[in-house]
Amino acid sequence: MPLAIGDNQILLGLGESPVTQRLDRANRHGFVAGATGTGKTVTLQVMAQAFSDAGVPVFAADVKGDLSGLAMPGAPNEKMLARAAAMDLALAPTAPPMIFWDLFGQKGHPIRATISEMGPLLLSRLLELNDVQEGVLTIVFHVADQEGLLLLDLKDLQAALKYVADHADEIGTQYGNVSAATVGAIQRKLLALQTQGAEAFFGEPALDLADLMRTDTAGRGYVSLLAADRLIQSPKLYATFLMWLLSEMFEILPEVGDPEKPRLVFFFDEAHLLFNDAPKALLEKIEQVVRLIRSKGVGVYFVTQNPADIPDAVLGQLGARVQHALRAYTPADQKGLKAAAQSFRSNPGFDTAEAIQALGVGEALVSTLDEKGAPQIVQKTLIRPPASRLGPITPQERAAVQGQSPVRGIYDEPMDRDSAYEILQGRARQAQLQAREKERELGRDDVGGRRASNRQTMAEAFAVTLVRTVASQAGRELMRGLLGGLTRRRR
């Protein structure tokens, strides 16, 4: 007989009984872990489509490109059909509604956010700024706000930093000391982020998060798939985007507690790449958001190779746990295996650590939360086969899906309206024009002065000459008079 599950559950697979995920506990987060080639991606695909069919929008990062097959109905092979038959499951090839996204705009709609939306606090953590640098960045944001300078993209922020440095004396007396060395350090860190492609992420039109929470006319949730094969090569940008996305969701969504089903579910594939070498401040922010965002009706699922890849503070927040096979060849592997086994509520029927090593492809140990939110006993589970295609789609198929996207034309062309960079450039040009005009005015005054001075000098010289001439003539007349008088007396 067909598997019977409740209306508020999605089917993950079959163990001693049907293994399900309760929708009213899906906002308690989870993970899917396992070694390469053990079936993690297929499990993610099964879960994403099941959530979509239940009316829950999904956002997933597609690191290897395999998840794009979600966009097309599957073509089940004999092995998949046999598995479905063994589970009394009718396997009907279907595909959920899809929207493709790409921060670089190559394999989907571009995703952008403004510098203002990022804010000085999150940006400081991502840039790993010290307290002094964070303080200066906060001053820059405040001054920009006071001056009416919109901070939309990286060149806006760089221009605002230069403006603050150029006016450090007057700004420093009001907000605190701003040194050129500190501004230079921030500029260098922005440059490092820019070299990873952040210029494509910061700008407009900014993503409206409501576009990630769409349902189609049939009530199915859209699966928003982020092409992350190139993005994952820029780990700082990847972390920047994911933290902004979670933080924005946390900021804009109202509290709902535990809804009947999530408003949105996130899947972050290759999550270990997110946590590797992450600064402590970023890890603290992830922990905070993961802990609090569930009350907003949002579920976060990390897909990684080993639960040990996820920091303990984050791992402790994850309710649903799907563990595929792990191998323990080295001491580090054995430590990871032990950690994975201890993360489950044990089953008296088998040894969890041994079971993890003996799992086949498409099998997993699964534990989800019950109606009271408590972890259920772990079960050996045969994961159900997917209804959508396994493997990536072709560029032509991707283009066809893009052509039917409900957000086509909204984000595809960038906007570059007047903001801090343009305004400050305009002020600089105006200041240059005024300076040149002043120089010209001074030049005219100087020429007039020289002419007047020349006229004065000529007049003075003429007067001196005239005096000398008059004096000379008078002297001659006087001498003639004196000589004439003497001559008359002698006679």
Side-chain angles (χ1 to χ4, degrees):
M1 61 180 293
L3 293 178
I5 63 172
D7 292 337
N8 67 332
Q9 301 177 62
I10 60 173
L11 178 66
L12 302 182
L14 181 64
E16 299 172 1
S17 59
V19 178
T20 62
Q21 164 75 64
R22 292 180 63 92
L23 290 174
D24 59 357
R25 293 292 178 265
N27 65 322
R28 302 296 182 92
H29 315 314
F31 72 76
V32 179
T36 301
T38 57
K40 297 191 305 294
T41 301
V42 176
T43 299
L44 191 163
Q45 189 169 337
V46 166
M47 294 178 72
Q49 184 162 1
F51 277 121
S52 171
D53 290 343
V56 178
V58 173
F59 181 92
D62 185 13
V63 173
K64 299 184 291 292
D66 296 350
L67 280 177
S68 62
L70 267 166
M72 293 292 156
N77 55 33
E78 291 184 5
K79 185 177 180 181
M80 294 169 64
L81 291 171
R83 176 173 291 196
M87 300 171 69
D88 288 329
L89 179 67
L91 186 58
T94 58
M98 296 279 293
I99 303 176
F100 289 112
W101 302 91
D102 183 356
L103 260 67
F104 303 104
Q106 296 176 344
K107 296 182 179 180
H109 302 295
I111 292 182
R112 303 181 187 90
T114 66
I115 291 289
S116 294
E117 287 175 330
M118 183 70 66
L121 182 60
L122 183 56
L123 201 55
S124 295
R125 288 176 174 174
L126 292 168
L127 293 174
E128 301 179 60
L129 302 185
N130 60 34
D131 291 342
V132 173
Q133 293 163 348
E134 182 180 337
V136 169
L137 189 63
T138 302
I139 290 174
V140 170
F141 272 75
H142 183 74
V143 170
D145 185 56
Q146 295 295 311
E147 296 271 346
L149 304 173
L150 290 174
L151 299 178
L152 302 179
D153 51 29
L154 279 179
K155 68 179 187 296
D156 287 331
L157 181 56
Q158 290 164 336
L161 280 161
K162 183 179 183 304
Y163 175 79
V164 168
D166 291 343
H167 298 78
D169 290 342
E170 54 196 273
I171 290 173
T173 58
Q174 187 172 2
Y175 302 112
N177 184 47
V178 176
S179 72
T182 300
V183 171
I186 299 172
Q187 292 277 33
R188 287 192 295 274
K189 294 196 175 186
L190 282 176
L191 181 61
L193 193 62
Q194 189 173 1
T195 58
Q196 293 198 14
E199 205 162 19
F201 173 53
F202 291 111
E204 289 187 312
L207 176 67
D208 183 350
L209 296 182
D211 285 327
L212 300 182
M213 304 172 71
R214 288 175 172 266
T215 55
D216 67 3
T217 53
R220 297 179 301 169
Y222 269 92
V223 176
S224 291
L225 197 63
L226 175 69
D229 49 344
R230 178 183 169 190
L231 178 61
I232 205 67
Q233 297 173 23
S234 304
K236 187 160 289 194
L237 180 58
Y238 185 51
T240 300
F241 166 70
L242 294 183
M243 280 313 306
W244 166 79
L245 193 56
L246 289 175
S247 298
E248 281 293 293
M249 281 287 176
F250 178 73
E251 290 294 330
I252 68 169
L253 293 178
E255 297 276 344
V256 294
D258 290 321
E260 292 184 0
K261 60 184 178 183
R263 288 172 166 174
L264 180 68
V265 167
F266 285 98
F267 286 96
F268 294 144
D269 198 4
E270 302 295 339
H272 60 283
L273 297 177
L274 172 63
F275 295 112
N276 282 353
D277 301 322
K280 181 181 178 182
L282 177 59
L283 293 178
E284 290 174 352
K285 183 66 175 178
I286 294 174
E287 177 193 352
Q288 178 191 34
V289 172
V290 169
R291 185 174 67 251
L292 299 176
I293 202 170
R294 69 176 183 84
S295 63
K296 310 283 185 151
V298 176
V300 180
Y301 290 73
F302 297 100
V303 183
T304 188
Q305 296 190 8
N306 193 308
D309 299 328
I310 303 172
D312 290 342
V314 176
L315 187 63
Q317 307 294 325
L318 309 183
R321 302 179 176 223
V322 181
Q323 178 67 63
H324 287 273
L326 286 175
R327 310 295 178 235
Y329 301 120
T330 67
D333 292 339
Q334 293 169 5
K335 182 179 178 181
L337 175 64
K338 182 179 179 181
Q342 291 176 341
S343 68
F344 287 100
R345 181 182 173 188
S346 62
N347 188 321
F350 57 85
D351 180 272
T352 305
E354 290 182 3
I356 291 175
Q357 297 180 80
L359 292 169
V361 176
E363 296 178 339
L365 297 186
V366 180
S367 172
T368 58
L369 302 180
D370 62 20
E371 66 278 3
K372 296 180 180 179
Q376 299 187 78
I377 292 174
V378 62
Q379 289 197 58
K380 291 181 183 178
T381 304
L382 194 63
I383 301 297
R384 61 172 291 181
S388 53
R389 182 189 297 178
L390 289 176
I393 61 175
T394 65
Q396 294 77 16
E397 290 170 330
R398 185 185 290 269
V401 173
Q402 280 290 91
Q404 314 231 335
S405 168
V407 297
R408 65 185 182 279
I410 297 177
Y411 300 104
D412 300 322
E413 294 299 326
M415 290 172 52
D416 191 14
R417 58 186 171 128
D418 284 354
S419 47
Y421 175 79
E422 288 78 13
I423 293 171
L424 292 173
Q425 287 284 95
R427 289 183 186 178
R429 285 193 296 270
Q430 186 64 29
Q432 287 177 350
L433 289 173
Q434 290 175 348
R436 289 173 185 169
E437 183 62 29
K438 188 173 181 179
E439 286 178 1
R440 284 195 292 268
E441 290 292 333
L442 289 172
R444 284 194 291 269
D445 292 344
D446 189 49
V447 169
R450 285 198 302 271
R451 287 174 179 170
S453 178
N454 289 339
R455 286 195 296 270
Q456 182 180 3
T457 302
M458 291 173 64
E460 289 174 350
F462 177 76
V464 170
T465 302
L466 181 60
V467 168
R468 287 176 179 172
T469 301
V470 170
S472 176
Q473 289 177 348
R476 285 196 294 270
E477 290 296 329
L478 179 60
M479 288 299 296
R480 278 202 288 280
L482 290 172
L483 289 173
L486 289 173
T487 302
R488 282 194 295 272
R489 285 184 191 149
R490 287 175 184 165
R491 289 177 182 171

Short mmCIF file of all heavy atoms in Angstrom, two decimals, residues 60-105:
data_model
loop_
_atom_site.label_atom_id
_atom_site.label_comp_id
_atom_site.label_asym_id
_atom_site.label_seq_id
_atom_site.Cartn_x
_atom_site.Cartn_y
_atom_site.Cartn_z
N ALA A 60 18.28 28.05 -2.66
CA ALA A 60 19.39 27.10 -2.56
C ALA A 60 20.59 27.62 -3.34
O ALA A 60 20.44 28.20 -4.42
CB ALA A 60 18.98 25.73 -3.08
N ALA A 61 21.77 27.42 -2.77
CA ALA A 61 23.02 27.75 -3.46
C ALA A 61 23.50 26.51 -4.20
O ALA A 61 23.69 25.45 -3.60
CB ALA A 61 24.07 28.22 -2.45
N ASP A 62 23.67 26.63 -5.51
CA ASP A 62 24.08 25.50 -6.36
C ASP A 62 25.57 25.65 -6.66
O ASP A 62 25.97 26.35 -7.57
CB ASP A 62 23.26 25.51 -7.65
CG ASP A 62 23.54 24.30 -8.52
OD1 ASP A 62 24.17 23.34 -8.03
OD2 ASP A 62 23.13 24.31 -9.70
N VAL A 63 26.38 24.97 -5.87
CA VAL A 63 27.83 25.13 -5.97
C VAL A 63 28.42 24.37 -7.14
O VAL A 63 29.31 24.86 -7.84
CB VAL A 63 28.50 24.68 -4.65
CG1 VAL A 63 30.02 24.69 -4.79
CG2 VAL A 63 28.07 25.59 -3.52
N LYS A 64 27.92 23.17 -7.42
CA LYS A 64 28.49 22.35 -8.49
C LYS A 64 27.69 22.40 -9.78
O LYS A 64 28.14 21.88 -10.81
CB LYS A 64 28.59 20.90 -8.01
CG LYS A 64 29.48 20.71 -6.79
CD LYS A 64 29.63 19.27 -6.40
CE LYS A 64 28.35 18.69 -5.85
NZ LYS A 64 27.97 19.25 -4.55
N GLY A 65 26.51 22.99 -9.78
CA GLY A 65 25.68 23.03 -10.98
C GLY A 65 24.69 21.89 -11.08
O GLY A 65 23.79 21.91 -11.93
N ASP A 66 24.82 20.88 -10.20
CA ASP A 66 23.95 19.71 -10.28
C ASP A 66 22.50 20.02 -9.97
O ASP A 66 21.59 19.38 -10.49
CB ASP A 66 24.44 18.62 -9.30
CG ASP A 66 25.82 18.11 -9.65
OD1 ASP A 66 26.31 18.46 -10.74
OD2 ASP A 66 26.42 17.38 -8.84
N LEU A 67 22.27 20.99 -9.09
CA LEU A 67 20.90 21.26 -8.65
C LEU A 67 20.03 21.88 -9.72
O LEU A 67 18.81 21.93 -9.58
CB LEU A 67 20.92 22.18 -7.42
CG LEU A 67 21.21 21.52 -6.08
CD1 LEU A 67 21.26 22.57 -4.99
CD2 LEU A 67 20.16 20.47 -5.76
N SER A 68 20.64 22.36 -10.80
CA SER A 68 19.83 22.97 -11.86
C SER A 68 18.87 21.97 -12.48
O SER A 68 17.87 22.35 -13.08
CB SER A 68 20.74 23.57 -12.94
OG SER A 68 21.53 22.56 -13.55
N GLY A 69 19.14 20.66 -12.32
CA GLY A 69 18.22 19.64 -12.81
C GLY A 69 16.84 19.71 -12.19
O GLY A 69 15.87 19.15 -12.73
N LEU A 70 16.72 20.41 -11.05
CA LEU A 70 15.41 20.63 -10.43
C LEU A 70 14.42 21.27 -11.38
O LEU A 70 13.20 21.10 -11.25
CB LEU A 70 15.56 21.52 -9.20
CG LEU A 70 15.74 20.87 -7.84
CD1 LEU A 70 16.21 21.89 -6.82
CD2 LEU A 70 14.45 20.22 -7.37
N ALA A 71 14.93 22.02 -12.37
CA ALA A 71 14.05 22.78 -13.26
C ALA A 71 13.36 21.92 -14.30
O ALA A 71 12.44 22.40 -14.97
CB ALA A 71 14.86 23.88 -13.95
N MET A 72 13.75 20.65 -14.44
CA MET A 72 13.19 19.79 -15.48
C MET A 72 12.64 18.50 -14.87
O MET A 72 13.22 17.95 -13.93
CB MET A 72 14.29 19.43 -16.49
CG MET A 72 14.78 20.61 -17.29
SD MET A 72 13.49 21.23 -18.40
CE MET A 72 14.03 22.93 -18.62
N PRO A 73 11.52 18.00 -15.40
CA PRO A 73 11.00 16.71 -14.94
C PRO A 73 12.04 15.62 -15.15
O PRO A 73 12.81 15.64 -16.11
CB PRO A 73 9.76 16.49 -15.82
CG PRO A 73 9.37 17.85 -16.29
CD PRO A 73 10.65 18.62 -16.43
N GLY A 74 12.07 14.66 -14.23
CA GLY A 74 13.06 13.60 -14.30
C GLY A 74 12.74 12.55 -15.35
O GLY A 74 11.62 12.47 -15.87
N ALA A 75 13.76 11.75 -15.64
CA ALA A 75 13.60 10.59 -16.51
C ALA A 75 14.11 9.39 -15.71
O ALA A 75 15.26 8.98 -15.86
CB ALA A 75 14.39 10.77 -17.80
N PRO A 76 13.27 8.85 -14.82
CA PRO A 76 13.75 7.82 -13.88
C PRO A 76 14.26 6.57 -14.59
O PRO A 76 13.65 6.07 -15.55
CB PRO A 76 12.50 7.51 -13.05
CG PRO A 76 11.35 7.98 -13.86
CD PRO A 76 11.84 9.13 -14.65
N ASN A 77 15.40 6.08 -14.12
CA ASN A 77 15.96 4.84 -14.67
C ASN A 77 15.40 3.66 -13.90
O ASN A 77 14.59 3.80 -12.97
CB ASN A 77 17.49 4.88 -14.60
CG ASN A 77 18.00 5.15 -13.20
OD1 ASN A 77 17.39 4.75 -12.21
ND2 ASN A 77 19.14 5.86 -13.11
N GLU A 78 15.83 2.47 -14.28
CA GLU A 78 15.27 1.23 -13.68
C GLU A 78 15.56 1.18 -12.18
O GLU A 78 14.71 0.75 -11.39
CB GLU A 78 15.87 0.00 -14.38
CG GLU A 78 15.41 -0.17 -15.82
CD GLU A 78 15.96 -1.44 -16.42
OE1 GLU A 78 16.62 -2.22 -15.68
OE2 GLU A 78 15.74 -1.67 -17.63
N LYS A 79 16.75 1.63 -11.80
CA LYS A 79 17.10 1.58 -10.38
C LYS A 79 16.19 2.49 -9.56
O LYS A 79 15.72 2.12 -8.47
CB LYS A 79 18.57 2.00 -10.22
CG LYS A 79 19.09 1.89 -8.80
CD LYS A 79 20.57 2.25 -8.75
CE LYS A 79 21.12 2.15 -7.32
NZ LYS A 79 22.55 2.51 -7.25
N MET A 80 15.92 3.68 -10.08
CA MET A 80 15.05 4.62 -9.37
C MET A 80 13.62 4.10 -9.31
O MET A 80 12.94 4.22 -8.28
CB MET A 80 15.10 5.99 -10.05
CG MET A 80 16.45 6.67 -9.96
SD MET A 80 16.57 8.13 -11.03
CE MET A 80 15.33 9.18 -10.29
N LEU A 81 13.15 3.51 -10.40
CA LEU A 81 11.80 2.95 -10.42
C LEU A 81 11.68 1.79 -9.44
O LEU A 81 10.65 1.63 -8.76
CB LEU A 81 11.43 2.50 -11.83
CG LEU A 81 11.24 3.64 -12.86
CD1 LEU A 81 11.10 3.06 -14.27
CD2 LEU A 81 10.00 4.47 -12.49
N ALA A 82 12.74 0.97 -9.37
CA ALA A 82 12.73 -0.16 -8.44
C ALA A 82 12.69 0.34 -7.00
O ALA A 82 11.97 -0.21 -6.15
CB ALA A 82 13.95 -1.05 -8.67
N ARG A 83 13.44 1.38 -6.69
CA ARG A 83 13.43 1.94 -5.35
C ARG A 83 12.05 2.50 -5.01
O ARG A 83 11.53 2.30 -3.91
CB ARG A 83 14.49 3.02 -5.20
CG ARG A 83 14.46 3.70 -3.84
CD ARG A 83 15.60 4.67 -3.63
NE ARG A 83 16.88 3.97 -3.51
CZ ARG A 83 17.98 4.51 -3.02
NH1 ARG A 83 17.97 5.76 -2.59
NH2 ARG A 83 19.11 3.83 -2.95
N ALA A 84 11.44 3.23 -5.95
CA ALA A 84 10.11 3.78 -5.72
C ALA A 84 9.10 2.66 -5.48
O ALA A 84 8.24 2.76 -4.60
CB ALA A 84 9.68 4.63 -6.92
N ALA A 85 9.22 1.56 -6.26
CA ALA A 85 8.29 0.44 -6.10
C ALA A 85 8.47 -0.22 -4.73
O ALA A 85 7.49 -0.59 -4.07
CB ALA A 85 8.51 -0.58 -7.21
N ALA A 86 9.73 -0.34 -4.28
CA ALA A 86 9.99 -0.95 -2.98
C ALA A 86 9.42 -0.10 -1.85
O ALA A 86 9.12 -0.62 -0.77
CB ALA A 86 11.50 -1.13 -2.79
N MET A 87 9.23 1.18 -2.11
CA MET A 87 8.70 2.09 -1.10
C MET A 87 7.20 2.32 -1.29
O MET A 87 6.62 3.15 -0.58
CB MET A 87 9.44 3.44 -1.16
CG MET A 87 10.93 3.33 -0.91
SD MET A 87 11.84 4.88 -1.23
CE MET A 87 11.23 5.88 0.10
N ASP A 88 6.58 1.59 -2.25
CA ASP A 88 5.18 1.80 -2.57
C ASP A 88 4.91 3.27 -2.89
O ASP A 88 3.92 3.86 -2.46
CB ASP A 88 4.26 1.36 -1.41
CG ASP A 88 4.21 -0.15 -1.28
OD1 ASP A 88 4.34 -0.83 -2.33
OD2 ASP A 88 4.06 -0.64 -0.16
N LEU A 89 5.84 3.83 -3.67
CA LEU A 89 5.78 5.25 -3.99
C LEU A 89 5.57 5.43 -5.48
O LEU A 89 6.30 4.83 -6.30
CB LEU A 89 7.09 5.93 -3.56
CG LEU A 89 7.22 7.42 -3.83
CD1 LEU A 89 6.23 8.20 -2.96
CD2 LEU A 89 8.65 7.88 -3.56
N ALA A 90 4.56 6.18 -5.86
CA ALA A 90 4.32 6.48 -7.27
C ALA A 90 5.28 7.60 -7.68
O ALA A 90 5.20 8.71 -7.16
CB ALA A 90 2.87 6.91 -7.49
N LEU A 91 6.18 7.31 -8.62
CA LEU A 91 7.19 8.27 -9.04
C LEU A 91 6.73 8.96 -10.32
O LEU A 91 6.87 8.41 -11.42
CB LEU A 91 8.54 7.58 -9.25
CG LEU A 91 9.73 8.48 -9.54
CD1 LEU A 91 9.94 9.49 -8.43
CD2 LEU A 91 11.00 7.64 -9.74
N ALA A 92 6.16 10.13 -10.20
CA ALA A 92 5.68 10.89 -11.35
C ALA A 92 6.68 12.00 -11.65
O ALA A 92 6.89 12.88 -10.80
CB ALA A 92 4.30 11.49 -11.05
N PRO A 93 7.31 11.98 -12.83
CA PRO A 93 8.30 13.02 -13.16
C PRO A 93 7.66 14.42 -13.19
O PRO A 93 6.75 14.69 -13.96
CB PRO A 93 8.79 12.63 -14.55
CG PRO A 93 8.50 11.16 -14.67
CD PRO A 93 7.23 10.96 -13.90
N THR A 94 8.12 15.28 -12.33
CA THR A 94 7.65 16.67 -12.25
C THR A 94 8.83 17.57 -11.89
O THR A 94 9.88 17.10 -11.47
CB THR A 94 6.56 16.85 -11.18
OG1 THR A 94 7.07 16.43 -9.91
CG2 THR A 94 5.30 16.06 -11.52
N ALA A 95 8.61 18.88 -12.05
CA ALA A 95 9.63 19.86 -11.68
C ALA A 95 8.95 21.02 -10.99
O ALA A 95 7.85 21.42 -11.37
CB ALA A 95 10.38 20.35 -12.91
N PRO A 96 9.57 21.57 -9.97
CA PRO A 96 8.99 22.73 -9.29
C PRO A 96 9.19 23.99 -10.12
O PRO A 96 10.06 24.04 -11.00
CB PRO A 96 9.78 22.80 -7.98
CG PRO A 96 11.12 22.25 -8.35
CD PRO A 96 10.86 21.17 -9.37
N PRO A 97 8.44 25.06 -9.86
CA PRO A 97 8.72 26.34 -10.54
C PRO A 97 10.06 26.89 -10.07
O PRO A 97 10.40 26.80 -8.90
CB PRO A 97 7.55 27.23 -10.09
CG PRO A 97 7.08 26.63 -8.81
CD PRO A 97 7.30 25.16 -8.91
N MET A 98 10.83 27.43 -11.03
CA MET A 98 12.22 27.83 -10.73
C MET A 98 12.49 29.27 -11.13
O MET A 98 11.92 29.78 -12.10
CB MET A 98 13.19 26.93 -11.51
CG MET A 98 13.16 25.47 -11.13
SD MET A 98 14.10 25.12 -9.65
CE MET A 98 15.76 25.45 -10.20
N ILE A 99 13.38 29.91 -10.37
CA ILE A 99 13.98 31.19 -10.74
C ILE A 99 15.49 31.04 -10.56
O ILE A 99 15.95 30.66 -9.49
CB ILE A 99 13.47 32.36 -9.88
CG1 ILE A 99 11.95 32.49 -9.96
CG2 ILE A 99 14.11 33.68 -10.34
CD1 ILE A 99 11.37 33.57 -9.05
N PHE A 100 16.24 31.32 -11.61
CA PHE A 100 17.69 31.24 -11.53
C PHE A 100 18.27 32.62 -11.18
O PHE A 100 17.87 33.64 -11.75
CB PHE A 100 18.30 30.76 -12.85
CG PHE A 100 18.04 29.31 -13.14
CD1 PHE A 100 17.21 28.92 -14.17
CD2 PHE A 100 18.64 28.32 -12.37
CE1 PHE A 100 16.98 27.59 -14.43
CE2 PHE A 100 18.43 26.98 -12.62
CZ PHE A 100 17.58 26.61 -13.66
N TRP A 101 19.25 32.62 -10.28
CA TRP A 101 19.93 33.84 -9.85
C TRP A 101 21.43 33.65 -9.98
O TRP A 101 21.94 32.53 -9.93
CB TRP A 101 19.60 34.19 -8.39
CG TRP A 101 18.15 34.36 -8.10
CD1 TRP A 101 17.26 33.41 -7.69
CD2 TRP A 101 17.39 35.58 -8.19
NE1 TRP A 101 16.01 33.95 -7.53
CE2 TRP A 101 16.06 35.29 -7.82
CE3 TRP A 101 17.71 36.90 -8.53
CZ2 TRP A 101 15.06 36.24 -7.79
CZ3 TRP A 101 16.72 37.85 -8.51
CH2 TRP A 101 15.40 37.53 -8.13
N ASP A 102 22.14 34.76 -10.16
CA ASP A 102 23.61 34.72 -10.26
C ASP A 102 24.14 36.10 -9.91
O ASP A 102 23.76 37.09 -10.54
CB ASP A 102 24.03 34.33 -11.68
CG ASP A 102 25.54 34.18 -11.84
OD1 ASP A 102 26.27 34.46 -10.87
OD2 ASP A 102 25.99 33.81 -12.94
N LEU A 103 25.00 36.20 -8.89
CA LEU A 103 25.55 37.49 -8.51
C LEU A 103 26.26 38.16 -9.67
O LEU A 103 26.32 39.39 -9.75
CB LEU A 103 26.52 37.34 -7.34
CG LEU A 103 25.96 37.69 -5.96
CD1 LEU A 103 24.88 36.70 -5.56
CD2 LEU A 103 27.05 37.74 -4.91
N PHE A 104 26.80 37.37 -10.60
CA PHE A 104 27.53 37.93 -11.73
C PHE A 104 26.66 38.08 -12.97
O PHE A 104 27.14 38.51 -14.02
CB PHE A 104 28.74 37.04 -12.04
CG PHE A 104 29.66 36.87 -10.86
CD1 PHE A 104 29.66 35.68 -10.14
CD2 PHE A 104 30.51 37.88 -10.46
CE1 PHE A 104 30.49 35.51 -9.05
CE2 PHE A 104 31.34 37.73 -9.37
CZ PHE A 104 31.34 36.55 -8.67
N GLY A 105 25.38 37.68 -12.87
CA GLY A 105 24.45 37.89 -13.97
C GLY A 105 24.67 37.03 -15.19
O GLY A 105 24.14 37.34 -16.26
#
